[in-house]
């Protein structure tokens, strides 16, 4: 099992785009018992990945409950870097 942050990054190499809630839903089967698999910690991991140039923001929207959802995707160079350092 990969560290959670690695799994979060790797997720972006397998999807077109995702927000924190999408990541949590995708990883909860394997990482559901991890305390860091929550909205705030996943957003922090996504913002760190963006600051490091691995992913970039694609869009944002408000969901039905008024929560802001920011979507990201791994651009070609980011996905290449992620796949180079984090193997399946």
């Amino acid at each position: 099992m990969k560290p959670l942050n690695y799994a979060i990054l790797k997720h972006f190499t397998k999807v077109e785009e995702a927000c924190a809630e999408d990541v949590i839903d995708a990883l909860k089967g394997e990482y559901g018992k991890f305390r860091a698999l929550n909205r705030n910690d996943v957003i922090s991991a996504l913002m760190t990945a963006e600051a490091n140039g691995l992913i970039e923001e694609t869009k944002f929207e408000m969901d039905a409950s008024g929560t802001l959802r920011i979507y990201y995707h791994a651009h070609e160079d980011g996905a290449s870097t992620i796949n180079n350092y984090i193997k399946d």
Side-chain angles (χ1 to χ4, degrees), residues 3 6 14-16 25 29-30 33-35 44 46 53 58 62 68 78 83 87:
Y6 285 16
K14 299 172 183 172
V15 298
E16 190 68 32
D25 286 343
E30 189 171 359
K33 295 187 186 276
F34 283 55
R35 285 189 301 198
S44 179
L46 297 178
T58 57
M62 298 290 271
L68 178 65
N83 286 328
K87 306 298 180 194

Side-chain angles (χ1 to χ4, degrees), residues 62-69:
M62 298 290 271
D63 68 12
S65 66
T67 302
L68 178 65
R69 291 186 181 209

Side-chain angles (χ1 to χ4, degrees), residues 36-57:
L37 190 64
N38 64 69
R39 187 173 193 277
N40 289 337
D41 289 335
V42 170
I43 288 173
S44 179
L46 297 178
M47 291 174 67
T48 300
E50 181 184 26
N52 287 314
L54 298 173
I55 62 175
E56 61 188 5
E57 185 180 319

Side-chain angles (χ1 to χ4, degrees), residues 67-87:
T67 302
L68 178 65
R69 291 186 181 209
I70 302 172
Y71 289 80
Y72 298 90
H73 82 109
H75 48 77
E76 187 176 336
D77 289 340
S80 176
T81 300
I82 292 166
N83 286 328
N84 190 41
Y85 288 99
I86 304 171
K87 306 298 180 194

